[in-house]
Amino acid sequence: MKKRILLIALSSIVLVACSSAKNETKEEANVQTGCDFTQAIAGGWAQGKITPEVEQAAKEAVKEISGDHQLGKIYEVRQQVVAGMNYLITFSIDNGDYYSAKVFRSLQDTYQVKEIKQVPSAVSNCDVPN
């Protein structure tokens, strides 16, 4: 009888403790507040730094723009670890136009521009492509 009462008491304590924990929905767990990429998800996009590899990726993107242009300033870098590295770079060119480019750097250090588009400014709205 004492074992049964003890079991019921312990079960009650566990139930109370579990029910008081905050339940987070899947949507709440995936919501990102602001542009804070410090808690990046493995395989997801994270804030990056301007490194020589990023500069080379941006230069490769500039080559895809019609005309003879030089890389201006790099404003923002986001990166994604894949079988290599994806970079999402916001930069300007010598005529003052702004661009956003997605560039893949392979494990053999070759660069492939996946996407490039002109953007109205270097201001980010924190949208990350899929």
Side-chain angles (χ1 to χ4, degrees):
M1 181 71 176
K2 288 182 183 182
K3 287 182 183 179
R4 184 177 274 173
I5 293 173
L6 183 61
L7 181 61
I8 292 171
L10 286 174
S11 298
S12 299
I13 291 170
V14 169
L15 285 174
V16 170
C18 289
S19 66
S20 66
K22 182 181 184 275
N23 290 329
E24 197 173 68
T25 66
K26 184 177 179 182
E27 290 78 22
E28 289 173 330
N30 289 329
V31 170
Q32 181 178 14
T33 57
C35 298
D36 182 16
F37 291 98
T38 56
Q39 295 181 353
I41 299 169
W45 289 92
Q47 191 68 37
K49 295 181 179 178
I50 300 172
T51 62
E53 293 82 9
V54 170
E55 288 179 9
Q56 184 60 41
K59 288 177 183 177
E60 294 296 324
V62 171
K63 291 178 186 177
E64 299 290 317
I65 301 169
S66 50
D68 185 27
H69 297 287
Q70 298 296 316
L71 177 64
K73 181 178 178 182
I74 297 174
Y75 292 94
E76 181 181 16
V77 178
R78 288 180 268 168
Q79 60 191 34
Q80 178 187 38
V81 177
V82 290
M85 184 75 76
N86 280 326
Y87 296 111
L88 187 62
I89 309 166
T90 303
F91 60 91
S92 65
I93 59 174
D94 53 5
N95 69 0
D97 289 342
Y98 298 99
Y99 285 85
S100 178
K102 184 177 178 182
V103 181
F104 171 71
R105 180 175 59 97
S106 73
L107 296 173
Q108 292 78 29
D109 276 339
T110 60
Y111 294 84
Q112 182 180 14
V113 179
K114 296 289 190 176
E115 180 183 328
I116 186 166
K117 61 183 175 182
Q118 189 170 359
V119 293
S121 72
V123 177
S124 170
N125 62 2
C126 301
D127 289 336
V128 178
N130 295 330

